[in-house]
Amino acid sequence: MDEKRLKELIKEKRYVTIKKELEKMNPVDVAELLESLDVQTALLIFRTLPKDLAVEVFAHFSVEQQRELVSLVTDKELKHIVDELYFDDMIDILEEVPANVVKKILLNAKEEERNLINQFLRYPPESAGSIMTIEYVDLKKNMTVKEALEHIKETGLDKETVYTCYVTDANRKLEGIVSLRKLVISDEDLLIEDIMERDVIYVHTHDDQETVARVFKRYGFLALPVVDNEGRLIGIITVDDIMEVIDQEATEDFQKMAAMSPTEEKYLEANVFSLAKHRVIWLLVLMISATFTGGIIRKFENLLQSAVVLTAFIPMLMDTGGNAGSQSSTLVIRGIALGEIAPKDTGKVVLKELVISIIVGVILAVVNFFRIYLFDNVGFLISFTVSITLFVTVVISKVIGGILPMIAKKLNIDPAIMAGPLITTIVDALSLIVYFSIASCLLNI
Amino acid sequence: MDEKRLKELIKEKRYVTIKKELEKMNPVDVAELLESLDVQTALLIFRTLPKDLAVEVFAHFSVEQQRELVSLVTDKELKHIVDELYFDDMIDILEEVPANVVKKILLNAKEEERNLINQFLRYPPESAGSIMTIEYVDLKKNMTVKEALEHIKETGLDKETVYTCYVTDANRKLEGIVSLRKLVISDEDLLIEDIMERDVIYVHTHDDQETVARVFKRYGFLALPVVDNEGRLIGIITVDDIMEVIDQEATEDFQKMAAMSPTEEKYLEANVFSLAKHRVIWLLVLMISATFTGGIIRKFENLLQSAVVLTAFIPMLMDTGGNAGSQSSTLVIRGIALGEIAPKDTGKVVLKELVISIIVGVILAVVNFFRIYLFDNVGFLISFTVSITLFVTVVISKVIGGILPMIAKKLNIDPAIMAGPLITTIVDALSLIVYFSIASCLLNI
């Protein structure tokens, strides 16, 4: 069913048909369809959905839609949604909706759940604790495979995943894991402790979500247990939530490298003041640091006065230097983010950038020399000055572009913030100094 | 076990202990450990591993290590590895190792497998076909749940995943899917056709991997079926491979936006000539397009001659414009890549950027005015000229930064390539024209 058909069916008031068709669809698609309707009609259709589907659809609504629906549904309906939502979805929603909606939701939760919610809301943002869920399958090591499978049959429907089951002792300490695959292919009289894996890879509640994502990618897991400082199992993280984290972390790096303070807000949903705030600070910092570049030019005013033509090549030199530096810093920053480049590789990176910059620098300088000598009519000396400067600038830019993120990493500063926007400013200043020094020297001014 | 302990144990020739400890570890970690040894010792340890583990460890070696091992192992050992590797892992390996190794591997594959391999190697790179695997659980709709579970018990060990099972007819046409969760919680006498989901979401062999990744993220699937043009099930893609794709696609965009032609090679593994090649082309293009900027400056040489101080602000204006434009284009390009911004949103994007740029532009211009008026001693008129130019530049840059990726998307050009590196060049030229026009006008030169 698409938007057009849905609207036609609504016009003809064929709600039974609508319900039947929506039931067959994936909740993600149903949520998207209902978002295209006005909120009253959406609520009307939403109420016809089978309860289980309704909860799943609710979880996939946009924050905006969730907020409006929560304000419209009855307390009884809300209570059902709150009871049936997966815990991590509920936490996500509570973190995004306004305070009055949070209050309405909490009022409709059971007391023990309310306590748990408050505990979860206290985990630092972007920590393992803030993205985990509590609906996992809990087994005991003295169960048989048959008992375990029966346990899953009884409780599995409400679990976020049943494909990895967690074996805990009486104190909730994590003792092992066993996959549903292993359970299904094992003899049913075996004990869980005979088939479980004991060397479990886990994360801590306060680990950063980036660390968690790296563990998932390294091992290809479907789920990962989260334990507290005493090794007690607190929750699990499933791979579907990790895909979002991977995107989020890349987006953050894009933002930082383009001189913005990172935000999770979606572009179209964010308001202009918030967007402006995230941009203006870095622009101010970089603008003021460009004073330095201006100062260099003013110091060489006499030189420029006697050879104004030199000015014409400033943008080309600065831009090429900036581009060359960004290429290097981008590759290195990304390599660090993906765990492919470690601090111990600094020597290799610098050497590599040096060799690359010499190759690239020679090509650019030669092309540039002939281009301006033949077409710009500025004479041999100027062409030569500009081309030598270009070569030196490319080499300096690339080496700095490679080394700066490595230094940042060693100092435990975020390489994307430290190296992204700063490269251009540093390279600008250096390329001007090189340019004017070479010019003074070669042109005898 | 860590590297140090492994090397000690090797020195003491305690191979049985090594084997016992490695067996308990995750194959990913074993592969990393063995990579730290010289290849002869690695092979020695590799041979002590149980066969199943050995194959998994092999799949996680680096390309370099795989190549060396393949050249050292006997044909019989290689045959075992080839037989037991998951199909997608084997294809990955074959795509990366040199031709003589490919030949040696193909010689050790069964004929039917060899044909299949050749077919898979023909799928376009970065297509669904090139990342799928053939080890899925195949059910028939007239099986009972009990029969299905027994089928999984017999064949499940060799499947890439057993958590989603695929129901096909006699012609291999995909009729439905059923999850292992559903099988485990269903009554064992039910027929598969009664519990299977019929509205299956699938991709085609030639779909781009970026499309595939988007489907995974949208629905949170663990696996996705891949069908050919006749709707026959050809293979499946599992979520662990998709996490790599998500990283790869983000890395490609980072590279394109930093003016490089994209490559999948890892930075530390790539040789300098290949890295230089991917960088020099865009640098040349951008360098030559900067001629245009130089031309603008030369046209206004008289103006600069009579007010050399104007030159001092060129870098600041160009950089701020470049930064402001990159901020906008980065957010929009990323939004398009994540599917959050669609071509129909062009109007919204432009309006948003216009409002943001006015807010940001006013702040920057005011701060800049006081900074240069009070500290740079250049007089009111020059300070005013520079600040007005700054404001206009920021507005133009942000609007162009927002609109350029949208135009690229509409023209079906990659927004990251089209908008990333070009922004700076365009903004440079425009900001200079604005600067000199305002200066000529205000300073009466």
Side-chain angles (χ1 to χ4, degrees):
Chain A
M1 180 149 67
D2 60 5
E3 205 181 311
K4 208 179 131 216
R5 183 166 158 77
L6 175 63
K7 287 185 175 163
E8 272 170 23
L9 288 174
I10 291 174
K11 224 189 256 163
E12 300 164 14
K13 297 195 190 302
R14 290 170 57 191
Y15 296 113
V16 179
T17 316
I18 294 176
K19 182 187 167 208
K20 248 191 211 154
E21 292 198 21
L22 290 181
E23 268 179 7
K24 285 192 297 189
M25 287 169 62
N26 189 296
V28 178
D29 297 319
V30 177
E32 194 179 73
L33 261 185
L34 294 192
E35 296 245 3
S36 69
L37 305 173
D38 66 278
V39 68
Q40 291 296 345
T41 320
L43 181 62
L44 191 76
I45 309 284
F46 182 74
R47 284 185 163 140
T48 69
L49 297 177
K51 294 224 161 121
D52 289 353
L53 178 59
V55 172
E56 281 192 75
V57 169
F58 184 83
H60 287 105
F61 278 143
S62 68
V63 179
E64 197 44 53
Q65 184 89 348
Q66 284 170 346
R67 188 180 326 187
E68 293 196 38
L69 272 190
V70 168
S71 64
L72 290 175
V73 297
T74 64
D75 276 8
K76 201 181 146 203
E77 285 171 318
L78 186 61
K79 194 169 159 37
H80 177 77
I81 293 175
V82 171
D83 283 351
E84 295 299 317
L85 269 178
Y86 282 131
F87 206 78
D88 56 342
D89 288 334
M90 178 147 63
I91 297 295
D92 281 352
I93 293 170
L94 288 172
E95 279 168 346
E96 307 242 9
V97 294
N100 61 328
V101 180
V102 172
K103 209 171 148 192
K104 189 169 175 187
I105 291 177
L106 286 182
L107 277 178
N108 284 287
K110 298 175 206 121
E111 197 190 328
E112 46 179 324
E113 198 166 57
R114 201 152 52 222
N115 292 336
L116 211 50
I117 290 174
N118 281 320
Q119 181 196 328
F120 269 59
L121 288 174
R122 273 198 302 272
Y123 288 115
E126 312 211 338
S127 70
S130 76
I131 52 172
M132 70 187 175
T133 191
I134 50 170
E135 290 93 354
Y136 54 83
V137 177
D138 198 4
L139 301 177
K140 298 295 164 199
K141 62 182 176 188
N142 54 2
M143 283 179 166
T144 62
V145 168
K146 192 176 176 182
E147 285 165 349
L149 282 171
E150 260 154 30
H151 180 70
I152 293 171
K153 199 164 188 163
E154 281 159 27
T155 63
L157 206 60
D158 295 327
K159 303 303 180 187
E160 175 107 24
T161 184
V162 298
Y163 298 141
T164 314
C165 305
Y166 299 87
V167 186
T168 56
D169 69 8
N171 298 316
R172 272 175 46 212
K173 267 200 126 146
L174 182 62
E175 296 183 305
I177 59 169
V178 57
S179 67
L180 184 58
R181 181 199 295 234
K182 189 87 181 211
L183 285 174
V184 166
I185 63 177
S186 294
D187 193 85
E188 58 178 23
D189 297 325
L190 283 175
L191 286 178
I192 294 301
E193 67 179 328
D194 296 328
I195 61 167
M196 74 183 188
E197 250 174 77
R198 286 159 198 275
D199 286 278
V200 184
I201 291 162
Y202 54 82
V203 291
H204 284 101
T205 44
H206 283 73
D207 282 346
D208 191 86
Q209 62 177 9
E210 198 167 0
T211 315
V212 180
R214 224 177 268 172
V215 176
F216 267 95
K217 286 189 269 183
R218 181 176 166 93
Y219 297 104
F221 288 146
L222 299 180
L224 198 58
V226 185
V227 303
D228 65 11
N229 289 332
E230 280 83 48
R232 283 176 307 205
L233 183 61
I234 305 291
I236 62 165
I237 297 172
T238 49
V239 68
D240 52 319
D241 294 322
I242 285 305
M243 285 193 283
E244 253 172 66
V245 170
I246 297 175
D247 270 340
Q248 232 177 63
E249 295 290 331
T251 301
E252 271 184 24
D253 279 356
F254 272 111
Q255 291 173 337
K256 289 179 208 155
M257 288 165 74
M260 285 173 278
S261 43
T263 162
E264 274 181 38
E265 288 181 300
K266 289 190 179 162
Y267 179 82
L268 289 177
E269 288 171 14
N271 80 52
V272 288
F273 292 102
S274 153
L275 284 169
K277 196 187 77 189
H278 283 100
R279 299 185 191 183
V280 77
I281 298 160
W282 267 104
L283 287 181
L284 275 171
V285 171
L286 293 172
M287 180 182 84
I288 289 171
S289 67
T291 315
F292 194 58
T293 332
I296 296 171
I297 293 186
R298 296 196 69 181
K299 238 184 143 175
F300 287 91
E301 243 168 46
N302 291 335
L303 175 74
L304 287 176
Q305 193 96 45
S306 43
V308 179
V309 67
L310 287 177
T311 314
F313 300 103
I314 291 180
M316 186 276 286
L317 289 171
M318 279 175 31
D319 280 353
T320 307
N323 287 330
S326 304
Q327 289 182 332
S328 309
S329 65
T330 299
L331 282 190
V332 175
I333 291 170
R334 185 70 183 150
I336 294 174
L338 294 181
E340 291 167 8
I341 301 178
K344 69 171 168 51
D345 301 316
T346 307
K348 276 189 229 168
V349 170
V350 173
L351 190 68
K352 210 155 201 168
E353 287 305 320
L354 187 66
V355 178
I356 296 171
S357 66
I358 292 173
I359 302 173
V360 172
V362 166
I363 298 175
L364 290 176
V366 169
V367 172
N368 183 65
F369 177 82
F370 285 106
R371 184 180 64 79
I372 59 181
Y373 184 63
L374 297 177
F375 300 108
D376 277 3
N377 248 330
V378 290
F380 176 83
L381 258 186
I382 300 268
S383 306
F384 189 69
T385 304
V386 172
S387 302
I388 286 291
T389 307
L390 183 63
F391 173 78
V392 178
T393 302
V394 168
V395 173
I396 293 179
S397 307
K398 285 210 162 293
V399 172
I400 291 182
I403 213 168
L404 214 55
M406 302 303 290
I407 293 175
K409 182 71 190 172
K410 275 195 183 161
L411 298 177
N412 248 329
I413 307 172
D414 187 332
I417 280 195
M418 160 85 171
L422 280 186
I423 290 284
T424 324
T425 313
I426 297 177
V427 163
D428 280 358
L430 288 176
S431 63
L432 284 177
I433 294 176
V434 171
Y435 188 34
F436 295 140
S437 309
I438 295 180
S440 314
C441 190
L442 286 181
L443 305 177
N444 266 323
I445 308 176
Chain B
M1 179 147 68
D2 60 7
E3 204 180 311
K4 206 178 132 216
R5 182 164 160 77
L6 175 62
K7 287 186 175 162
E8 272 170 24
L9 288 174
I10 291 174
K11 222 189 257 162
E12 299 164 15
K13 298 195 190 301
R14 291 170 57 191
Y15 298 113
V16 179
T17 315
I18 294 176
K19 182 187 166 209
K20 248 190 210 153
E21 293 198 20
L22 290 180
E23 269 178 6
K24 285 192 296 190
M25 288 170 61
N26 189 296
V28 178
D29 298 320
V30 178
E32 194 180 73
L33 261 184
L34 293 192
E35 296 244 4
S36 69
L37 306 173
D38 66 278
V39 68
Q40 291 295 347
T41 319
L43 180 61
L44 192 75
I45 309 284
F46 181 74
R47 284 184 163 141
T48 68
L49 297 177
K51 293 222 161 123
D52 289 353
L53 179 59
V55 173
E56 281 192 73
V57 169
F58 184 84
H60 287 106
F61 277 143
S62 67
V63 179
E64 196 46 53
Q65 184 89 349
Q66 285 169 346
R67 188 179 327 187
E68 293 196 41
L69 272 189
V70 168
S71 64
L72 290 175
V73 298
T74 65
D75 275 10
K76 201 181 145 203
E77 285 170 317
L78 186 60
K79 193 169 160 37
H80 177 77
I81 293 174
V82 172
D83 284 351
E84 295 300 317
L85 269 178
Y86 282 131
F87 205 77
D88 57 341
D89 288 334
M90 177 146 64
I91 298 294
D92 281 353
I93 293 170
L94 288 172
E95 279 168 346
E96 306 242 10
V97 295
N100 61 328
V101 180
V102 173
K103 211 172 145 192
K104 189 169 174 188
I105 291 177
L106 285 182
L107 278 178
N108 285 288
K110 298 175 206 119
E111 197 190 328
E112 44 179 326
E113 198 166 58
R114 201 152 53 223
N115 292 335
L116 212 50
I117 289 174
N118 280 319
Q119 181 196 329
F120 268 60
L121 287 174
R122 274 198 302 272
Y123 288 116
E126 313 210 339
S127 69
S130 76
I131 52 171
M132 70 187 175
T133 191
I134 52 170
E135 290 92 353
Y136 53 83
V137 177
D138 198 4
L139 302 178
K140 298 295 164 200
K141 62 182 176 188
N142 54 3
M143 283 179 167
T144 62
V145 169
K146 193 176 174 181
E147 285 166 348
L149 282 170
E150 259 154 30
H151 179 69
I152 293 172
K153 198 164 186 162
E154 280 159 27
T155 63
L157 206 59
D158 294 327
K159 303 304 181 185
E160 175 107 25
T161 184
V162 297
Y163 298 141
T164 315
C165 304
Y166 300 87
V167 187
T168 55
D169 70 9
N171 297 316
R172 271 175 46 213
K173 268 198 125 147
L174 182 61
E175 296 182 304
I177 60 170
V178 58
S179 68
L180 184 57
R181 182 200 293 234
K182 189 89 181 206
L183 285 173
V184 166
I185 62 177
S186 294
D187 192 85
E188 58 178 21
D189 297 325
L190 283 175
L191 286 178
I192 295 300
E193 65 179 329
D194 296 327
I195 62 167
M196 74 184 187
E197 249 174 79
R198 285 160 199 275
D199 285 278
V200 184
I201 291 162
Y202 54 81
V203 292
H204 283 102
T205 45
H206 284 73
D207 282 346
D208 190 86
Q209 62 178 9
E210 199 168 1
T211 315
V212 180
R214 224 177 268 174
V215 175
F216 267 95
K217 286 189 268 183
R218 181 176 166 92
Y219 297 104
F221 289 147
L222 299 181
L224 197 58
V226 184
V227 303
D228 65 10
N229 290 331
E230 279 83 48
R232 283 176 308 206
L233 183 61
I234 305 290
I236 61 165
I237 297 172
T238 49
V239 68
D240 52 320
D241 294 322
I242 286 305
M243 284 192 284
E244 251 172 68
V245 171
I246 297 176
D247 270 340
Q248 230 177 64
E249 295 289 330
T251 301
E252 271 184 24
D253 279 357
F254 272 111
Q255 292 173 337
K256 289 179 208 155
M257 288 165 74
M260 284 173 280
S261 44
T263 162
E264 275 181 37
E265 287 181 301
K266 290 191 177 158
Y267 179 81
L268 289 177
E269 288 170 15
N271 80 53
V272 288
F273 292 101
S274 153
L275 284 169
K277 195 185 77 189
H278 284 99
R279 300 185 190 183
V280 77
I281 298 160
W282 267 105
L283 287 180
L284 276 171
V285 171
L286 293 172
M287 181 182 83
I288 289 171
S289 67
T291 314
F292 193 58
T293 332
I296 296 171
I297 292 187
R298 296 196 69 181
K299 237 183 143 176
F300 288 91
E301 244 168 45
N302 292 335
L303 175 74
L304 287 176
Q305 192 97 47
S306 42
V308 180
V309 66
L310 287 178
T311 314
F313 300 103
I314 290 180
M316 186 275 287
L317 288 171
M318 278 175 32
D319 280 353
T320 308
N323 288 330
S326 303
Q327 289 182 332
S328 309
S329 66
T330 300
L331 281 189
V332 175
I333 290 170
R334 185 70 183 151
I336 294 174
L338 294 181
E340 291 167 8
I341 301 177
K344 67 172 169 51
D345 301 315
T346 307
K348 276 188 229 168
V349 169
V350 173
L351 190 68
K352 209 155 202 169
E353 287 306 318
L354 187 67
V355 178
I356 296 171
S357 66
I358 292 172
I359 301 173
V360 171
V362 166
I363 297 175
L364 289 176
V366 169
V367 172
N368 183 66
F369 177 81
F370 285 106
R371 183 179 65 78
I372 59 181
Y373 184 64
L374 297 178
F375 299 108
D376 277 1
N377 248 331
V378 290
F380 177 82
L381 258 187
I382 299 267
S383 305
F384 189 68
T385 305
V386 173
S387 301
I388 287 290
T389 307
L390 184 63
F391 173 77
V392 177
T393 302
V394 169
V395 173
I396 294 179
S397 307
K398 286 209 162 292
V399 172
I400 291 182
I403 212 167
L404 214 55
M406 302 302 290
I407 293 175
K409 182 72 189 171
K410 275 196 184 161
L411 298 178
N412 248 329
I413 306 172
D414 187 331
I417 282 195
M418 160 84 172
L422 281 186
I423 289 284
T424 324
T425 312
I426 297 177
V427 163
D428 280 358
L430 288 176
S431 63
L432 284 177
I433 294 176
V434 171
Y435 188 34
F436 295 140
S437 308
I438 294 180
S440 315
C441 192
L442 287 181
L443 306 177
N444 266 324
I445 308 176

